[in-house]
Amino acid sequence: MAEKRVILVGDHRQLPHLLEPAVESEMAEIQNFTEEQGKALHDSLFERLWKQLKDREVIDGFPRVVGKVCAWINVPHLPGNSERRLGTSRSWTRNDEAQVVAKEAVRLLNSCDAHTTIGIITFYSAQRDLIFEHLAQVGIAERDPDTQGWRISPSWQMTAGGEERFRVGTVDGFQGKEFDIVLLSIVRSNTENIPTQTPDNLSQFESAANRKYGHLRLDNRMNVAMSRQRRLLISVGDKQMAIGANAEVAVPALSSFLKMCGGPDGIVR
């Protein structure tokens, strides 16, 4: 009957309850049990709940972030790369990534207590709007009738203590703000090659790196985006963009963060 959380305390490998064979047969006949339902009678309620939670762990892909400070949720390049959204001249989107970000935010909002604050940061306004669209499908975001822009639905706007509970926006909207957990949508995903940097090709390297990474190369924006969390920063995007010697030079902050996620203080999934 719990609305948000059930905590199991005990051992699911203890002996199951005892069944009276006559009662078991009568129940199976009256209820017209399937073979699977009949077998379920022999599992304790505790064991059934434990198995269901383990199954949901696999389905939801729940990261074991207890005691961690960083995480990376990989959204591979295929099937969807980043692209400019129709009707915008400069703003980039990545729909597969926006779906993952929205799903993870919903999971966190439902699993964390009412005092936990969560932020979603992206470098592109079109990606922000796309994330809002996915959140609106599950009732967490809605159109503002006055401005016709997006806003968080009232029931998710504030914590029990009156603090802003959930925000979705570009880096500029997070300047000076902090949240317990921050999801960072990387957006850029492509297979463009950039030359290895040498003293003779600095100009070519910079041009190619800028085309490949865009805003991810702006140190001040990366600094703001990666320092808004109090407890946990989760980067969501194509991890291949942060791997390799060229990435270490072109986007050092992103490359270092991925390495940290792969260490004892983080998780990559």
Side-chain angles (χ1 to χ4, degrees), residues 71-116:
W72 189 299
I73 300 177
N74 184 38
V75 184
H77 176 68
L78 296 176
N81 63 338
S82 52
E83 59 185 4
R84 293 191 188 276
R85 193 167 195 185
L86 187 65
T88 64
S89 58
R90 298 181 60 83
S91 202
W92 289 81
T93 64
R94 191 176 181 219
N95 186 57
D96 294 320
E97 185 176 304
Q99 287 180 310
V100 173
V101 170
K103 180 180 178 181
E104 186 69 8
V106 171
R107 188 191 64 76
L108 288 168
L109 286 168
N110 286 320
S111 60
C112 295
D113 61 48
H115 294 278
T116 301

Side-chain angles (χ1 to χ4, degrees), residues 112-232:
C112 295
D113 61 48
H115 294 278
T116 301
T117 60
I118 298 170
I120 297 177
I121 301 177
T122 184
F123 298 96
Y124 301 97
S125 58
Q127 181 76 349
R128 172 203 61 201
D129 293 342
L130 191 55
I131 293 169
F132 264 122
E133 289 175 18
H134 288 295
L135 291 170
Q137 294 174 9
V138 292
I140 290 180
E142 62 187 22
R143 286 287 188 182
D144 187 321
D146 297 324
T147 66
Q148 292 306 305
W150 289 105
R151 70 180 184 186
I152 303 301
S153 299
S155 58
W156 298 99
Q157 289 178 2
M158 308 297 289
T159 67
E163 188 179 4
E164 183 178 19
R165 184 180 185 188
F166 186 35
R167 171 179 283 254
V168 181
T170 58
V171 178
D172 305 78
F174 278 80
Q175 179 78 22
K177 295 183 178 296
E178 286 187 340
F179 292 80
D180 294 317
I181 302 171
V182 170
L183 293 157
L184 177 60
S185 178
I186 299 299
V187 180
R188 299 302 283 258
S189 175
N190 57 66
T191 56
E192 289 190 31
N193 292 320
I194 58 177
T196 301
Q197 188 185 63
T198 67
D200 299 325
N201 74 342
L202 294 182
S203 177
Q204 294 92 330
F205 174 85
E206 289 296 317
S207 296
N210 288 339
R211 288 194 302 272
K212 184 176 182 67
Y213 291 106
H215 287 344
L216 298 176
R217 300 203 68 212
L218 300 177
D219 290 343
N220 55 355
R221 289 180 175 271
M222 288 297 293
N223 179 61
V224 173
M226 302 185 79
S227 61
R228 300 303 93 196
Q229 73 283 356
R230 297 190 187 105
R231 290 159 42 190
L232 174 65

Side-chain angles (χ1 to χ4, degrees), residues 19-70:
L19 294 175
E20 177 65 39
V23 175
E24 181 183 353
S25 299
E26 185 178 353
M27 286 178 60
E29 184 176 346
I30 294 174
Q31 299 295 331
N32 194 26
F33 282 163
T34 64
E35 183 179 353
E36 185 177 353
Q37 289 172 321
K39 290 180 179 178
L41 286 176
H42 295 269
D43 296 334
S44 69
L45 175 60
F46 192 101
E47 184 176 2
R48 292 207 306 275
L49 288 172
W50 184 85
K51 288 180 178 177
Q52 288 175 20
L53 290 174
K54 295 300 291 182
D55 290 341
R56 287 192 60 178
E57 233 178 45
V58 174
I59 295 170
D60 295 340
F62 183 70
R64 299 185 181 277
V65 294
V66 176
K68 308 295 184 182
V69 298
C70 55

